[in-house]
Amino acid sequence: MRPLLCCLGLAALLGPCLACPSACSCSTKKNGRLLAECAYKDLQEVPEGLSSNVTILTLSANRIGWLGQGSFAEVPEVQSLWLGYNQIGVVEPGAFALLVHLKNLDLSHNKIADFPWQDLRNLSGLQILKMNNNRLAGLPWDAFRFLKDLRSLWLNDNELTTLAEGTFDNLPSLSQLQIFNNPFNCSCKVFWLKKWTEKTSVSITKGGSTLCVAPSRLKGRAVTDIPDHHCIAPSVQLTYLSNLDNTVMYDGLTLTLHCSVAGSPPPEIRWKIQTSSRRVEINGPNVARDGNIKQSQERFLVFKNGTMAIPNFRKEDEGIYTCLAVNDVGTRDVSVNVALAGSENPAEDLLQDDPQASHLGGRSCYKGDEMDPSGAGEKLVIVYHMPRESKSRSGGVVPQVDLGTLLLALGIVLWY
């Protein structure tokens, strides 16, 4: 009787450790890890009944088509998970989120088009990630951001047409990358990849097969061979203009800034305005050719040629005006701080408010002047001085059209 009880007690202790679905074979490796081998079993889903201390789970070459949030709830200790050569097309958010001990994840040769990238945030110990031979058409720039131990990343043979700049940043352990056999559109959006490959120590397997499919002029050329002259980062210059004679029919002061940009492809012009009471962003012109305003920011008139005009500029319009030049290679911006002064000597007022401000030899900026880039790294302040008042057509009191003194202080930074 006592031997029988001993055997039953031993079975009760070992039972949970040796639990194994009928379709799998389970064994303990020499290093003490528990292996559950479930490959080539024609399985259509992750089997139930796995032991909680399985560390290696092989489910390759089955017919699994779906992974749910609880598919791996029974194996929280798993370190290596092999799911290659299945028919996985759906991966629910949370499917991998709790597998914090995972070091190797193979999802290659499936049908995955959408993946819950947020699940990878908890897998900081992941070392090998295979997602090759799937249907991935895009990746968020921070998809792998938290994978500090990732050594090998396989993304080849997908449907990737571009990659966001920064995709492979924050991967200090990365030593092998496979991205070949993807239909890359070699616009300037992937120009960063060329620059990155030139300086990285990561081994990019079969880099010669990382070819452009579009545009037609680059078809068949390696991504690493995109001509430099096709992609030039933006430059931006800000010019002050006075009231436009015979063109702007507004009483009082009209603040007019002109933003000139260059680059390839031609940059878009955007404006950011920060005053004491509000923040405004204008992404493109809001004045049509016929003069109609297309957007609700009627205080700030933005034209297609890069000019911004603020008619009847008032005290509440004081603030920082920033012009941004944006293209596929990057973004550049330049700012001007605009203020109104009511005294006879605005220079003295400004210097009293900011002891570090300097009067640049009494220089002024007039109509059509370009801002000197010699003071790069500092800030330009334009102070409009209006010593007198005049009557508007409607009878109200407005500043004179004469701009008065333009004070340049705190250096000039209007070219990047």
Side-chain angles (χ1 to χ4, degrees):
M1 186 66 179
R2 182 173 294 177
L4 179 58
L5 291 175
C6 291
C7 291
L8 291 174
L10 184 61
L13 290 173
L14 296 179
C17 298
L18 299 177
C20 192
S22 58
C24 307
S25 60
C26 302
S27 61
T28 302
K29 309 292 286 184
K30 291 182 179 180
N31 56 12
R33 295 180 180 176
L34 186 60
L35 166 65
E37 176 62 65
C38 312
Y40 297 95
K41 300 298 183 180
D42 205 31
L43 297 173
Q44 297 186 33
E45 59 184 15
V46 178
E48 296 181 355
L50 290 164
S51 176
S52 61
N53 57 354
V54 165
T55 53
I56 304 172
L57 177 57
T58 301
L59 290 163
S60 305
N62 282 291
R63 293 195 296 132
I64 300 172
W66 168 85
L67 297 176
Q69 186 173 3
S71 292
F72 304 104
E74 291 184 337
V75 288
E77 303 295 324
V78 68
Q79 297 179 18
S80 297
L81 181 56
W82 310 109
L83 288 158
Y85 292 92
N86 275 280
Q87 299 176 18
I88 300 170
V90 176
V91 183
E92 290 186 352
F96 301 103
L98 300 180
L99 304 182
V100 295
H101 302 288
L102 204 58
K103 294 182 179 179
N104 306 301
L105 177 59
D106 180 8
L107 288 163
S108 63
H109 296 271
N110 278 287
K111 301 178 181 180
I112 300 173
D114 296 310
F115 185 81
W117 301 104
Q118 64 272 18
D119 279 17
L120 300 183
R121 295 182 179 182
N122 295 332
L123 311 186
S124 58
L126 197 64
Q127 298 178 7
I128 297 175
L129 177 59
K130 294 184 177 183
M131 302 196 72
N132 53 292
N133 294 87
N134 274 285
R135 299 176 181 176
L136 298 173
L139 306 170
W141 70 271
D142 59 348
F144 314 114
R145 181 180 178 185
F146 300 95
L147 305 183
K148 303 300 184 184
D149 292 338
L150 190 67
R151 294 186 288 107
S152 182
L153 176 60
W154 298 35
L155 294 169
N156 55 285
D157 293 276
N158 274 284
E159 299 177 7
L160 299 171
T161 58
T162 188
L163 288 170
E165 185 171 359
T167 298
F168 307 122
D169 291 350
N170 302 308
L171 296 176
S173 302
L174 189 65
S175 60
Q176 181 189 29
L177 174 65
Q178 297 191 173
I179 54 173
F180 58 89
N181 290 346
N182 278 289
F184 283 111
N185 181 345
C186 293
S187 69
C188 293
K189 290 182 179 180
V190 297
F191 185 68
W192 72 270
L193 185 59
K194 172 187 176 176
K195 295 299 184 182
W196 182 79
T197 58
E198 291 173 351
K199 65 181 181 180
T200 186
S201 60
V202 176
S203 174
I204 304 176
T205 308
K206 295 184 180 180
S209 298
T210 308
L211 304 179
C212 304
V213 172
S216 57
R217 70 178 186 276
L218 297 177
K219 186 175 182 179
R221 296 182 67 169
V223 172
T224 55
D225 197 27
I226 300 175
D228 286 6
H229 67 272
H230 282 297
C231 304
I232 302 173
S235 61
V236 57
Q237 182 181 9
L238 196 57
T239 304
Y240 164 77
L241 300 173
S242 67
N243 277 29
L244 302 177
D245 297 336
N246 301 321
T247 58
V248 180
M249 304 303 295
Y250 297 104
D251 289 327
L253 172 66
T254 296
L255 171 64
T256 309
L257 299 172
H258 182 72
C259 189
S260 301
V261 299
S264 181
E268 297 178 2
I269 296 176
R270 303 173 185 175
W271 291 90
K272 290 185 178 180
I273 303 159
Q274 179 69 64
T275 69
S276 60
S277 60
R278 60 175 170 168
R279 181 181 180 91
V280 178
E281 295 188 9
I282 305 175
N283 296 323
N286 60 11
V287 179
R289 290 185 178 181
D290 59 5
N292 291 326
I293 301 173
K294 296 186 291 185
Q295 300 177 6
S296 60
Q297 300 297 343
E298 64 278 357
R299 286 291 301 138
F300 309 103
L301 307 180
V302 177
F303 300 84
K304 188 176 182 180
N305 68 350
T307 296
M308 172 187 283
I310 302 98
N312 292 323
F313 191 83
R314 303 186 293 259
K315 192 75 175 175
E316 55 264 34
D317 297 323
E318 291 182 333
I320 300 174
Y321 289 73
T322 301
C323 172
L324 299 93
V326 182
N327 70 5
D328 291 340
V329 186
T331 301
R332 295 292 184 275
D333 65 79
V334 60
S335 298
V336 58
N337 194 344
V338 185
L340 287 172
S343 73
E344 293 294 331
N345 193 340
E348 292 181 358
D349 284 353
L350 184 64
L351 293 174
Q352 288 176 1
D353 293 338
D354 188 348
Q356 294 181 348
S358 60
H359 191 290
L360 300 182
R363 295 173 52 197
S364 296
C365 181
Y366 295 102
K367 180 177 181 179
D369 279 0
E370 295 181 358
M371 306 308 182
D372 181 3
S374 60
E378 300 178 6
K379 184 182 293 184
L380 168 71
V381 176
I382 300 178
V383 178
Y384 294 92
H385 172 52
M386 265 102 32
R388 298 186 303 276
E389 294 180 342
S390 63
K391 295 286 185 177
S392 71
R393 295 173 186 171
S394 60
V397 177
V398 298
Q400 266 190 292
V401 174
D402 181 14
L403 293 176
T405 303
L406 291 175
L407 173 66
L408 304 184
L410 304 180
I412 301 173
V413 56
L414 291 181
W415 183 277
Y416 287 91

